């Protein structure tokens, strides 16, 4: 079955092989050298002064950031399942919070964020998704972060970039905590989360010393020495160093960004040419999200049964109205064209549109225009 869900993504063969070596102990010079390599790779990728790796899925890093960086009150943007999670974490820890609730297809505006921050001086942390994966929505995070810092640099800007890290170049100038996860663009198994930190965030984490397992002060002390407070997920970190090797061998990260963008926009145009409707008003590059209340589930079913292809549906209220196609990681062109083709064939099977190969024509035309 071809896995085309926006996380987890397929683990490519060279990474699987790198992770199949016998387990090494985490308190050894051998692993410390690997850890140092992974740290360097991540710091270069996100262009931040400090980075931490935690043994958890992405939500663990979200919880660590909320608990460490919000003392009085959080403002969070809730435009889907993942935005909602920041509020749920705050609630679980009895941290006061306010949410801006947007339709899942609609990006939050800078004005609405600034209005609340100016009204409520107690807010000391702001949380948002770079790409809200529930609807494939890209928020204008960099501009919001810049506006917040211009207004009050003490407000901590926490960004869930789990479906943006490794997908597109992120301007981290005004971001304090940037969260990533292994199972998306890094093409690794789930189980490793990442937090990029600004120097302001490093200072706060050291002053505050919050929690036990997810104590960022403890991790900063250890990870700056290329070790971890607890047993490190050695296998995934070995896979991460392999990922950076592969990126280098394939022309560097900028080249991967170009290819990802070309693939994502080409799929977008191809699906539109088949009469399908893109759901978000500002689509993220990480995935293509299609709204079809009547046929989304039937299309997914045909893809699974007839074409051995697993794409994601929607979540919650949009469970059966959406389908989502992954664009994260290094996806071979023949697989991307196969997805577009299979969708066009599914539309034919449902008698919604006669197959004429238009999807792949538009896909390839657009792709070679953008990545020629
Ligand atoms: C996948 C994802 C997460 C991570 O959730 P986990 O299941 O905890 O790994 C968080 N935020 C976004 C936007 C995601 O796409």
């Amino acid at each position: 079955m071809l896995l085309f869900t926006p996380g987890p993504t397929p683990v490519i063969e060279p990474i699987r092989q790198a992770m199949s070596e016998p387990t090494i102990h985490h308190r050894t010079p051998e692993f410390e050298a690997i850890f140092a390599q992974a740290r360097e790779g991540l710091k270069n990728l996100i262009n931040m002064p400090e980075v931490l790796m935690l043994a958890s899925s992405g939500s663990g890093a979200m919880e660590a950031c909320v608990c460490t960086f919000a003392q009085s009150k959080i403002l969070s943007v809730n435009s889907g399942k993942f935005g909602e999670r920041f509020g749920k974490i705050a609630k679980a820890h009895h941290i006061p919070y306010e949410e801006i609730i947007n339709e899942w297809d609609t990006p939050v505006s800078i004005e609405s964020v600034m209005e609340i921050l100016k009204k409520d001086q107690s807010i000391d942390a702001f949380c948002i998704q770079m790409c809200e994966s529930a609807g494939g929505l890209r928020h204008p995070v960099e501009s919001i972060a810049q506006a917040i810092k211009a207004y009050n640099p003490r407000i901590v800007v926490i960004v869930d970039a789990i479906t943006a890290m490794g997908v597109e170049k992120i301007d981290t100038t005004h971001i304090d905590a940037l969260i990533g996860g292994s199972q998306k663009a890094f093409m690794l198994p789930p189980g490793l989360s990442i937090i990029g930190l600004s120097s302001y965030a490093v200072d706060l984490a050291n002053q505050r010393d919050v929690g036990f397992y997810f104590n960022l002060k403890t991790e900063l002390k250890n990870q700056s020495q290329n070790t971890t407070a607890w047993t490190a997920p050695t296998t995934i970190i070995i896979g991460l160093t392999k990922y950076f090797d592969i990126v280098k061998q394939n022309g560097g990260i900028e080249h991967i960004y170009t290819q990802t963008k070309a693939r994502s926009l080409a799929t977008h145009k191809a699906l539109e040419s088949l009469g399908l409707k893109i759901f978000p008003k500002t689509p993220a590059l990480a995935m293509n999200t299609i709204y079809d209340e009547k046929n989304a589930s039937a299309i997914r079913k045909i893809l699974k049964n007839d074409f051995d292809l697993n794409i994601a549906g929607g979540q919650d209220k949009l469970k059966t109205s959406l389908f989502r196609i992954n664009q994260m990681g290094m996806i071979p062109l023949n697989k991307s064209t196969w997805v577009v083709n299979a969708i066009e064939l599914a539309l034919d099977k449902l008698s919604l549109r006669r197959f004429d190969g238009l999807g792949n024509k538009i896909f390839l035309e657009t792709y070679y225009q953008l990545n020629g």
Side-chain angles (χ1 to χ4, degrees), residues 57-59 62 82 85 129 131 133 160 162-163 183-184:
S57 81
S59 303
M62 291 168 76
F82 296 100
R85 192 165 299 175
Q129 271 60 40
C131 161
S133 312
D160 166 0
I162 293 174
T163 44
Q183 80 274 30
K184 307 280 166 99

Side-chain angles (χ1 to χ4, degrees), residues 117-188:
L117 291 181
K118 285 175 182 167
K119 249 196 316 227
D120 189 344
Q121 303 292 324
S122 70
I123 295 168
D124 62 347
F126 172 75
C127 299
I128 191 168
Q129 271 60 40
M130 188 146 266
C131 161
E132 168 53 79
S133 312
L137 174 71
R138 180 65 157 84
H139 284 297
V141 172
E142 294 90 337
S143 323
I144 295 172
Q146 185 173 16
I148 292 173
K149 289 296 180 181
Y151 166 66
N152 180 357
R154 288 185 307 280
I155 296 173
V156 186
V157 176
I158 301 167
V159 178
D160 166 0
I162 293 174
T163 44
M165 207 181 272
V167 172
E168 54 175 307
K169 194 171 182 78
I170 302 170
D171 178 2
T172 50
T173 313
H174 305 286
I175 295 171
D176 293 302
L178 187 80
I179 300 165
S182 55
Q183 80 274 30
K184 307 280 166 99
F186 295 107
M187 302 176 286
L188 296 166

